Structure formats: C-alpha cells, structure tokens
Amino acid sequence: MEKQTYYVSIVHLTCTTDPAGPYNFKIELEPYKARVFQKLFQQIHQLEGSNMFRAHLPFIPYHMDELNHDIDSRYKKIYALIHEFGDQEAKEFVEQIPYFS
C-alpha cells in the first residue's frame, strides 16, 4: 500500500491529509496506519470527558489519578508513532521531550 502525507495536530487531536488546518507534525504512512491516530485521539477525548468530573475532587492529586496515567500513556504512544513516521523535524522534536527518554 502506498504511503500518504498526514498532518497531525496534538492540540486539536486530529490526523488529516489536509494541510490547510492547523497541525504540529507532518508524517508519511499508509492510510490504515493513520487510523491508529484516530483511535488514540478518540480514547483521549473519552478519557478527558471522564476526567472532567473527577477533576472536581480536590483530594486526588494528579500523579495518583489513574485517568491521568491513561491519558499520558496515549500521548506517549502518539509521540512514538510521530517519531517513527515523522519527517526529520518531527523526529528531532520528539527526541527532546521527556516522554521519549
């Protein structure tokens, strides 16, 4: 299967072939692999919805909240995929963030 260029926005949780919208990273991969990004973004969106209600409980610190760990885990996977399929600029950026170390 032939690779396509996708544009990933971490802030907007999108992975699209349209460069007109805002994006953080440019990656090259097969369309079926791009669905992994969509699935991870959906999971983050659902977890953040659940986390919104929990956030109003002041007695659970961030580092002890399992939902936050689940969200962080998804972001780590996303950055690993960006590093694997991204252009040189994307790879260099990912190598500098704490998730990658």
Side-chain angles (χ1 to χ4, degrees):
M1 191 170 259
E2 194 168 318
K3 292 183 178 183
Q4 287 185 295
T5 301
Y6 286 87
Y7 302 90
V8 178
S9 172
I10 301 296
V11 174
H12 297 100
L13 299 177
T14 59
C15 178
T16 181
T17 57
D18 183 11
Y23 67 91
N24 306 103
F25 302 102
K26 182 177 164 183
I27 59 174
E28 298 276 336
L29 70 161
E30 293 86 0
Y32 74 93
K33 291 181 182 176
R35 285 181 257 167
V36 174
F37 280 94
Q38 298 300 337
K39 189 68 168 174
L40 288 168
F41 290 150
Q42 283 177 335
Q43 291 172 357
I44 289 171
H45 189 52
Q46 290 170 345
L47 288 166
E48 285 178 342
S50 300
N51 207 15
M52 180 182 68
F53 296 109
R54 203 275 336 134
H56 298 308
L57 303 174
F59 54 87
I60 302 176
Y62 180 89
H63 66 282
M64 295 179 72
D65 186 357
E66 193 63 37
L67 284 175
N68 289 328
H69 297 304
D70 291 343
I71 292 170
D72 290 346
S73 172
R74 288 349 183 258
Y75 278 116
K76 288 177 185 178
K77 291 175 185 178
I78 289 167
Y79 281 115
L81 290 168
I82 289 169
H83 186 269
E84 183 175 344
F85 299 110
D87 58 10
Q88 189 59 35
E89 183 180 346
K91 290 178 191 296
E92 289 172 3
F93 177 83
V94 172
E95 289 171 3
Q96 293 177 10
I97 60 176
Y99 279 157
F100 195 74
S101 320

